[in-house]
Amino acid sequence: QVQLVESGGGLVQAGGSLRLSCAASGRSFRYYAMGWFRQAPGKEREFVATINWRGTNTDYADSVKGRFTISRDNAKNTVHLQMNSLKSEDTAVYYCAAGQNGPVENPDEYNYWGQGTQVTVSS
């Protein structure tokens, strides 16, 4: 079992930055691929970024490439999403997820999910 808690969301102006964190509990965390997803009002949940269990392989949605960076610290059971040059279209609830079949973009491959943290970008 892995429990996930996101933090770091908030209100930021367009062009600004936020750093999301995901704290994981559970002894198996280091063996899971981790992903970040987001869901805007009226839209389906979409893939943002993923990282393998070693932290050596990452993948990003085209819409965030060059602006967002995913990282993890297995010693601290945390995953981060550094978000720079934020745009109004980045406004959404952001979720972290853990999966054994990653790193993949398909949310169905993730076994555990956090409750989400709201990111609002004002234009």
Side-chain angles (χ1 to χ4, degrees):
Q1 286 282 345
V2 176
Q3 291 80 44
L4 304 172
V5 179
E6 302 95 336
S7 62
L11 174 63
V12 64
Q13 289 187 334
S17 298
L18 280 176
R19 187 186 193 215
L20 304 184
S21 297
C22 176
S25 60
R27 61 181 181 179
S28 300
F29 166 78
R30 66 183 62 210
Y31 300 118
Y32 283 81
M34 299 298 296
W36 284 97
F37 293 80
R38 67 187 182 186
Q39 188 167 18
K43 295 186 177 180
E44 293 186 353
R45 188 170 298 189
E46 66 173 356
F47 165 75
V48 175
T50 184
I51 188 168
N52 69 335
W53 70 276
R54 289 184 176 182
T56 57
N57 185 20
T58 59
D59 188 27
Y60 298 91
D62 288 342
S63 59
V64 306
K65 278 182 181 177
R67 300 188 298 123
F68 291 11
T69 302
I70 188 172
S71 62
R72 68 188 295 163
D73 184 339
N74 287 341
K76 296 182 178 180
N77 281 14
T78 56
V79 180
H80 301 288
L81 185 68
Q82 178 66 43
M83 305 187 296
N84 299 327
S85 302
L86 284 161
K87 305 175 182 179
S88 57
E89 51 262 45
D90 295 318
T91 295
V93 177
Y94 283 71
Y95 300 88
C96 71
Q100 294 179 302
N101 298 323
V104 294
E105 300 182 9
N106 185 353
D108 294 337
E109 297 291 337
Y110 289 82
N111 308 99
Y112 304 101
W113 292 82
Q115 293 299 308
T117 184
Q118 176 70 48
V119 171
T120 303
V121 184
S122 63
S123 57

